[in-house]
Amino acid sequence: MSDEPAPPLAEAPLGPHAPSAPPEGARRQRLHPLTPLLESFRFLTAAVAAAGIQAFTSRNFLFAIYIALAAAVVGGIASLIALQYRGFVVWGRELHIYGGVFTRSHRTVPLDRLQSVDLARPIRARLFGLAQLNIEVAGGDGTDARLAYLKADRALALRSELLAIAGRPAAAQEAAAEAAASEEAAADRDAGLLVPQVTVKRLALASLLEALPVQITALLVFGTAFAVTGSIFGFSTVATTLWVGFFAPALLGYLQSTVAAVNRFLRNGRFRIARDGGNLLVQRGLTDTSHETVPVDRVTGVAFDEPVMWRSRRWRRVEVWTAAVAQQSATAVKSTTALPVGDPDQVAVVAAAAVPDLPSVFDVERPPARVRWRMPLRWKRTGAALTERAFVVRHGVWVNTHVAVPYARIQSVRVTQGRVQRMQGVATVRAMTAGGLGHDAVAAHRDAAEAVAMAAELRDRADAAAARERPRLS
């Protein structure tokens, strides 16, 4: 035992400082007065639609007018009350957000851990010149804070202020430049894009081709079932039964599929991606526009999607995962689209920009042939490989997906083996990234000896890559 005295305690605890509330005299900044009404836009639309249907069916238009006036008065009073308790304060290196009427809330966002501040402009907000800020911090659960709604110029100024406090001058300059430039002048900035802007024709065709296989398959299944059962039990009886039990829900599913394809097209319209220093800057949207910032040093994985109807055209979609996005729940948005559709050259450029020296084409090795019966449709399109830069896995049937996880972003590696796998002598290797919920790279049904060797090699490469990186992503 050493006789040396213990070192003195630090004057303050080490690690992140505890959040402190602003003083009582701190001026709370308010959101725009239209915020509560815009946030209840869907409810108001439903109320107006219900009133319209009532007026049409009963021919009582006066009643519909009364309902609309009552909804307007109640909504206006509720908005005034809600605005008195909603606002935010930038105090020191923290952002404090207040809200709630019956249940008060006070959220503190540490700007030292700020990852990105994204600007979004839904169409209902654009009509009034408003915007919202989506704020993400490292280690957070998805979008940690949302400021909606603010005047567009005020939102851009606040975004620049928050990024400057967080020590991100390059991004702050980008935000200031964006405030000075109008959307009509966006074509003059095409020279700084990583790839040319995705054309409307290509995006529309890609959205249609991606949704087509599922819809055609459903039509064939229902059509065959109707023809067979109708010939046996009579078409009139089967038609009535199928309409109530199958066709009506199927029609609803078709409408949802169509709406999803249209939303995908509208969300990625006018897609642009550029790189500014250590950030990927993504702008997109036809009706709802968004300006997203993806820090390259926080990218934990890159996914390359190839829907079945895109393969003849060699199109692929590129999505990136970041440390904050990777911790969202399974029902939340899981990634950021870095390229909605592109040819091989464009995919290669975006992949290298997201993760330096990352290729876009991979040679993966399939699982052993003895496990083919477990995945008869997926076996040929399942595989894994340890490349020079990343751990790559492949999976999917309708959508062929390659997932590349840089070694420096792997936090843990696990080998699992179920009872049937143990009988077959195979195991599954799972590489988990920061936060990693739903974003693990999984090499399924590898030979048991190969799985153990692969896991050991992954740990060695992850430790070596993390040792070369400063600071390490947590």
Side-chain angles (χ1 to χ4, degrees), residues 137-156:
V137 297
D141 183 11
T143 298
D144 291 273
R146 186 172 67 94
L147 293 177
Y149 292 90
L150 301 167
K151 276 290 188 181
D153 54 351
R154 186 184 177 197
L156 285 167

Side-chain angles (χ1 to χ4, degrees), residues 115 138 297-300 322-323 408-409 411 434 469 471-474:
Q115 175 167 295
D297 59 354
R298 301 200 69 82
V299 172
T300 60
T322 56
R409 299 296 178 254
Q411 288 196 332
E469 184 181 64
R472 183 178 182 181
L473 177 65
S474 58

